[in-house]
Amino acid sequence: MFFSSKKSILGIDIGTTNIKIAQITSKDNVHTLETYGLVNAAFDIDETKEESIAKTVLILKNLIEKSGVSTNKVVASLPNSAVFTSVIDLPPLKDSELKAAIEFEAKKYVPLPITEMTLSWSVIEKMSDGKTRILLTAVPNNVLRSYLKIFQQAKLEPVALEIEALALIRALIGDDKGSILIVDVGAKSTHLNIVENGNLLLTRNIPMGGDTITQKIAESLKISLVRAEQFKKDFGLTQSNLIPENIKPILANIKSEAKQLQGIYQARGKKFDKIMIVGGTANLPGLNEFFSDMDAKIVNGDPLSKLTFPADLKPVISQYAENLSVAIGLALRAH
Ligand SMILES: Nc1ncnc2c1ncn2[C@@H]1O[C@H](COP(=O)(O)OP(=O)(O)OP(=O)(O)O)[C@@H](O)[C@H]1O
Ligand SMILES: [Mg+2]
């Protein structure tokens, strides 16, 4: 194209323990990571109190300033724990009938009255039997309100809010047509996402993550959480003489859920081509080996693969890349 525009988008991922940001500018299909940042900050979404929102706004503004962010256009993720997603197959319908049909279906899946939720959906595929496969997401309105308040108070303009899984797919999967199980091991929780042909098919949340491991190490060795965290990062699963055995059940639990999904998927006559381990805990030494008895190739996600950035940033960014996948995927959203 002759004319091209240069626009920057700031991706913001507010996790349970970290806020992560990435600013990307896209021009002629080249995506440049302009800046990024990460700060440790607990955010409790249930806290709709003004005080908690004000605290998050302050931390976010500080992070934005320190990272040299130059845009106020934001794409942010909604926490998995607060979003309900479901894939549903609908019979052939006229466009005018679609909304009512989706609301009818949604009532079966969401635990709150439909009037207290915001529903959105996207068509995954038109199937050969005439049915339409749809990804339905439902977010409680009070969650949306707290997020919008944060962005308004931080003087940011949210251009889109989306679920974490879609951002991960954009950052890590791209054109891969295969069947992939993404295992996103965060701090307080782990999210399993089945992706087929680039589409999200199923998500599952497990309330365990890297912080659960740190706590177990601290309890068993009677050391502080700070020391336990360092121990975990240094030795992971590779030094069984140093790291207590009782962290294994946490990971075994995660693996067993992953295997269960694999079983369900195989029962449909299909197979995961890859299991992609992502999230901060993907850095845990020995974690890939721990999953190696699953019948699929174990890989890590590389959110930097689609980006260009100054070469001198590479060593530093590489250390944080796993943690930044969601923020990068958000900032890559077409705008
Ligand atoms: N080098 C490392 N080795 C092992 N664990 C690590 C390493 N770096 C970070 N972690 C762990 O990753 C976790 C943070 O991951 P991440 O940033 O993906 O979480 P989050 O998105 O804030 O949490 P959640 O997804 O639960 O809301 C922490 O438990 C941290 O201890
Ligand atoms: Mg996360």
Side-chain angles (χ1 to χ4, degrees):
M1 260 205 311
F2 275 120
F3 41 89
S4 58
S5 62
K6 180 174 182 266
K7 286 184 217 155
S8 298
I9 285 281
L10 181 67
I12 302 185
D13 168 17
I14 304 180
T16 51
T17 32
N18 298 296
I19 300 181
K20 287 153 270 185
I21 60 171
Q23 181 179 315
I24 292 175
T25 185
S26 300
K27 192 180 175 191
D28 299 337
N29 225 10
V30 175
H31 308 290
T32 308
L33 180 65
E34 294 178 312
T35 187
Y36 67 94
L38 184 149
V39 66
N40 201 255
F43 179 61
D44 182 357
I45 189 68
D46 290 334
E47 264 314 312
T48 44
K49 292 193 196 107
E50 296 301 328
E51 216 175 286
S52 147
I53 289 182
K55 199 179 102 199
T56 305
V57 170
L58 210 68
I59 296 170
L60 182 60
K61 277 170 79 173
N62 196 11
L63 179 66
I64 283 175
E65 200 186 302
K66 273 209 323 234
S67 315
V69 168
S70 60
T71 178
N72 65 347
K73 295 218 179 327
V74 163
V75 177
S77 54
L78 292 161
N80 279 320
S81 56
V83 183
F84 304 92
T85 56
S86 190
V87 171
I88 50 177
D89 293 341
L90 293 174
L93 291 168
K94 292 191 204 116
D95 282 351
S96 57
E97 296 166 334
L98 198 63
K99 188 167 183 279
I102 286 172
E103 284 185 0
F104 181 79
E105 285 296 317
K107 281 186 193 147
K108 297 185 203 163
Y109 299 104
V110 301
L112 286 175
I114 291 290
T115 48
E116 288 171 33
M117 315 265 315
T118 297
L119 298 182
S120 54
W121 61 87
S122 55
V123 173
I124 298 178
E125 62 177 330
K126 301 261 185 208
M127 298 194 298
S128 49
D129 58 3
K131 285 187 174 167
T132 306
R133 178 162 287 172
I134 280 177
L135 173 69
L136 171 74
T137 57
V139 189
N141 291 337
N142 66 341
V143 171
L144 278 181
R145 277 195 298 270
S146 348
Y147 271 77
L148 292 176
K149 246 187 214 170
I150 290 173
F151 299 129
Q152 190 188 25
Q153 290 181 21
K155 304 219 164 21
L156 297 167
E157 185 194 325
V159 290
L161 297 175
E162 71 177 4
I163 59 174
E164 290 177 36
L166 295 184
L168 282 177
I169 291 172
R170 197 175 300 117
L172 304 172
I173 295 193
D175 299 330
D176 193 327
K177 301 269 181 258
S179 298
I180 302 168
L181 175 68
I182 305 182
V183 182
D184 173 9
V185 200
K188 304 249 184 324
S189 55
T190 296
H191 315 291
L192 304 177
N193 304 300
I194 300 182
V195 182
E196 192 183 273
N197 193 16
N199 296 311
L200 182 64
L201 265 199
L202 194 142
T203 67
R204 186 172 286 181
N205 298 336
I206 309 165
M208 286 175 201
D211 288 5
T212 329
I213 296 174
T214 304
Q215 265 158 17
K216 267 276 176 302
I217 297 175
E219 277 165 29
S220 302
L221 302 181
K222 302 199 170 34
I223 56 175
S224 70
L225 285 173
V226 175
R227 276 199 71 200
E229 176 79 4
Q230 198 54 49
F231 245 69
K232 176 181 84 170
K233 290 181 176 170
D234 289 346
F235 303 119
L237 297 167
T238 57
Q239 302 273 341
S240 51
N241 53 332
L242 294 173
I243 293 286
E245 276 292 306
N246 65 358
I247 66 165
K248 294 238 174 91
I250 300 166
L251 295 166
N253 234 309
I254 294 172
K255 187 161 73 178
S256 121
E257 292 265 357
K259 282 190 169 167
Q260 201 189 357
L261 289 188
Q262 193 177 33
I264 295 171
Y265 200 63
Q266 278 169 355
R268 294 184 193 168
K270 302 193 238 184
K271 186 177 178 302
F272 293 144
D273 301 308
K274 283 182 207 160
I275 296 179
M276 188 181 271
I277 319 251
V278 308
T281 304
N283 296 303
L284 187 77
L287 190 62
N288 284 14
E289 290 71 26
F290 187 80
F291 280 88
S292 63
D293 63 338
M294 290 190 69
D295 181 22
K297 199 166 135 197
I298 308 293
V299 296
N300 289 118
D302 179 12
L304 303 180
S305 65
K306 294 180 182 53
L307 305 178
T308 59
F309 46 85
D312 53 334
L313 283 185
K314 175 114 191 168
V316 193
I317 303 177
S318 300
Q319 280 180 46
Y320 298 108
E322 288 292 353
N323 307 55
L324 291 172
S325 301
V326 171
I328 288 173
L330 294 166
L332 281 172
R333 190 177 153 125
H335 39 276

